[in-house]
Amino acid sequence: MYLFETMRLEAGKIPRYTYHQARLFNSAGQLDYPLTKETFERFIQSIQQAHPTGTHRLKVMLEPSGTLTYQCVALPNKSHFTAKAQQINTDYPKWQYINKTSHREHVEHDHETDVVLYYDNKGKVLEFDIGNVLIKENGQYYTPSFENDFLRGCMRAQLLDEEKVKEKDYDISELKRKLKAGEAEIFLVNSLREVAEIEINL
C-alpha cells in the first residue's frame, strides 16, 4: 500500500502545495511511513523543473519504505461530471476513509456515471469518489462537516480557510429534494479540477 497526493501542476507551480504537503505528512505520521520535508521538497522541485510549462495531473506516491515516485500527464480540460448517489461501504478500517492511500475499494463504482456522491448509513452526505462536496443554497456555499468519515481535500481546506465556504451537513433525502426543486446546486471540488459542475441522476 502506498500514500499519494494528486496535484495540479501548472506552469511549474503547484496550487495548494502546503496543503498537499501537510496532508501527506499527517498520513505518513499516522501510518509510520518515513519521510523528511527536505527529501520531499527536493523531490517536488525536481518535478517542477522538469515540467515548467503546461497544465498537468501530478500524482506523487510514497511507499512504506519512504521511496517517492511520481506520474505526470497532461490534464484534459473537463469541468462537468455526471453523478449518482450511493451509500458508502463501511466494511473497511477507519484509516482507509480519512487517508489518501492506494486502498480505495470503499469508493469503487461501476462508472455508469463519471463520479458517485456517497452518503453514510444515517443519510449524511459525505463526499464524491474523487473530491469533496460543495452545495450552494441561498447564495451561500456549504460543505459537510468532517467527523472522521471522509477524505478532507486540499481545495476544500483552502475554501474553508478563506471563509468562502461554511460547514453544514445535509441528509441525502433533503439534498435530493432541494436539488429537484432548484433550491440548491451541487459541485465537486478537488485540487486538480478546483470547482466542477455536477449533473446528478436523482
Side-chain angles (χ1 to χ4, degrees):
M1 181 185 78
Y2 59 82
L3 291 168
F4 72 97
E5 287 293 319
T6 305
M7 297 173 270
R8 184 182 182 95
L9 176 60
E10 190 168 5
K13 305 294 183 182
I14 298 174
R16 292 163 292 282
Y17 170 74
T18 56
Y19 290 92
H20 287 288
Q21 183 187 57
R23 184 170 65 175
L24 181 65
F25 273 84
N26 181 61
S27 293
Q30 287 184 45
L31 301 175
D32 200 25
Y33 282 34
L35 183 64
T36 66
K37 286 190 176 181
E38 292 78 9
T39 298
F40 183 71
E41 288 175 358
R42 283 198 302 269
F43 185 75
I44 292 297
Q45 287 169 6
S46 68
I47 298 170
Q48 291 173 307
Q49 291 168 2
H51 300 86
T53 61
T55 303
H56 300 84
R57 176 186 182 273
L58 171 62
K59 181 179 180 180
V60 172
M61 294 155 282
L62 175 64
E63 300 288 345
S65 64
T67 299
L68 289 164
T69 58
Y70 79 96
Q71 299 169 353
C72 190
V73 297
L75 179 64
N77 185 20
K78 184 176 176 66
S79 59
H80 181 275
F81 294 81
T82 59
K84 64 178 180 180
Q86 181 176 308
Q87 185 173 323
I88 200 163
N89 188 331
T90 57
D91 294 338
Y92 300 98
K94 182 63 69 176
W95 58 260
Q96 190 166 323
Y97 297 83
I98 63 175
N99 294 289
K100 198 162 188 179
T101 78
S102 53
H103 287 337
R104 300 283 292 162
E105 297 91 347
H106 61 289
V107 289
E108 288 181 351
H109 61 96
D110 57 17
H111 293 281
E112 288 181 354
T113 54
D114 294 322
V115 298
V116 168
L117 173 65
Y118 286 102
Y119 57 92
D120 68 15
N121 56 9
K122 295 180 180 178
K124 178 190 174 185
V125 173
L126 299 174
E127 63 181 332
F128 290 104
D129 57 294
I130 62 167
N132 291 125
V133 176
L134 190 66
I135 295 165
K136 184 179 182 181
E137 185 178 10
N138 297 323
Q140 174 65 52
Y141 289 94
Y142 300 101
T143 191
S145 65
F146 177 70
E147 299 174 300
N148 289 306
D149 48 2
F150 59 82
L151 181 66
R152 288 178 291 180
C154 297
M155 187 70 198
R156 174 185 179 275
Q158 182 183 49
L159 290 172
L160 284 168
D161 285 347
E162 294 174 349
E163 299 184 345
K164 294 178 178 177
V165 174
K166 295 181 179 180
E167 288 187 323
K168 178 182 177 181
D169 292 337
Y170 283 83
D171 178 84
I172 188 63
S173 298
E174 171 199 13
L175 179 60
K176 285 182 176 181
R177 177 182 61 78
K178 289 183 175 181
L179 291 173
K180 284 181 179 179
E183 297 172 1
E185 297 175 74
I186 189 169
F187 303 88
L188 180 153
V189 291
N190 66 24
S191 201
L192 191 63
R193 302 287 181 180
E194 298 188 331
V195 179
E197 296 178 356
I198 289 290
E199 178 186 341
I200 191 163
N201 179 5
L202 300 174

